[in-house]
Amino acid sequence: MGSLGTEPNVLQVAIVGTGIAGLTAAIALRKHPAIHVELYEKATELREIGASITLGPNGLRTLERLGLEDCISDKVGYRGPNPISRFYRHWKTNEIIGEDFYENVSEPLHYTARFHRGHLQQALLKHVPRDLIHLKKKLVSATVESGDYVKMEFGDGTTATADILIGADGIGSGVRKSFAPDFELEWSGHTAFRGIFDAALIEPIEGVPLDSTHWWGPDTNFFATRLAQNLFTVQGGIYADPKDPAAIAKFRDGGQWDKQADIQLLREKYVDWNPVVKALSEVTPNVRYYPNFFCGSSLPTWIFDGRVTLIGDAAHAHGGAFATGGSLAIDDAYALYLALMEVVPSSTTEKPSLETIQKALKLYEDTRRPHAVKLLKVVHANNEMKTRKIITATQETDEELRARAKRGSNTTWLHEHDVVKAFEDARAASVKV
């Protein structure tokens, strides 16, 4: 495993987690000749697991900047035939009642794409040498020793050291727990039921849209899309009062992340919906629970002891809102790469000082944290509104539903976010200070 001293003039970077965030960060940072990367993963093997994931134009553009066109091609991700960001259909009538249009996207490769998470992960893995990835390394603790280096301890009794530690280990981040042990996540009250299966199962159903589609109902939604490699995915959901003990037992604690769920819960929820949705729920062979958690409050900083930072859900868990988690993680990784490229010369002949490392991490945080804080404020407001409706038994009228769908999601600021411009703005602001 990587350790200090093997290359005295090279910055040793440890990444915990080999999901989308960790792999993107590794691919980007390895482009810097003065940086060496090692990855640590708690899983026993790197295999195709997980549900579907959506990448918007921002994440797709960033992967293209990194030369990863093969990871976002139609062989890996699915794009519908129409260049429209999102379609919204009525839960009962199946008519299109709203659309989200792109504002500044003309390259087809940048149109919103849907992936099997495992397919995207495997595509990214092809760009990371296997000997840099260490499996069965569940992080137990991490500490910064005398300000000089980071020490990691793993569940198998081994240790490793690095100059910088990047926590890319998701919503239950062990890195975050090591440096912000009092930070707590909150359940949003929403639990998704997600299934992926052979697309041949939907062939008998008439009227399944070729485009990825959201059906909006008065108290929940339903999403369905084709995926690459002849797969299909559906997602339904149940909303509950997040403080209701019965709901907590059934849909949060009793429904651990990625745990097998009762398919009847999905079918019963959509039994009165339009024939296409009902048929899709009936052919879905199985589903899994995904209770949505989000940050109880924004972390005041993503930098710890000058040598540790977070990316992806470890930094800003947002409960999966707006299907933007994958792109957020990718842009985090790229912003961190830009910051280190800016502060650490590629021709450096000596290892960067703690002050230099802190400067780079601060530039990364200034680039990304304001964007994440804005998103979390929207998520909090939406969750509070949904909870009030549940508690007061208030149901949206059909007129209100149609008006909401017609307005669309108003999330262009998320899905078309320009991480390079944000970095340039943060860099300019740092120069003025």
Side-chain angles (χ1 to χ4, degrees), residues 53-60 323-332 368 415:
I53 183 172
T54 296
L55 294 186
N58 56 325
L60 296 166
T324 191
S327 291
L328 282 173
I330 289 166
D331 278 354
D332 285 349
R368 295 298 293 161
H415 300 297

Side-chain angles (χ1 to χ4, degrees), residues 30 61-62 83 106 123 137 149 226 261 273 281 295 319 328 339 431:
R30 291 188 69 247
R61 284 168 173 161
T62 295
S106 56
K137 299 298 176 184
Y149 62 93
R226 290 166 173 80
W273 286 46
S281 71
C295 291
L328 282 173
V431 172

Side-chain angles (χ1 to χ4, degrees), residues 140-161:
V140 174
S141 68
T143 55
V144 174
E145 302 292 318
S146 303
D148 296 329
Y149 62 93
V150 186
K151 180 181 179 181
M152 294 158 282
E153 297 184 5
F154 301 101
D156 62 359
T158 61
T159 63
T161 56

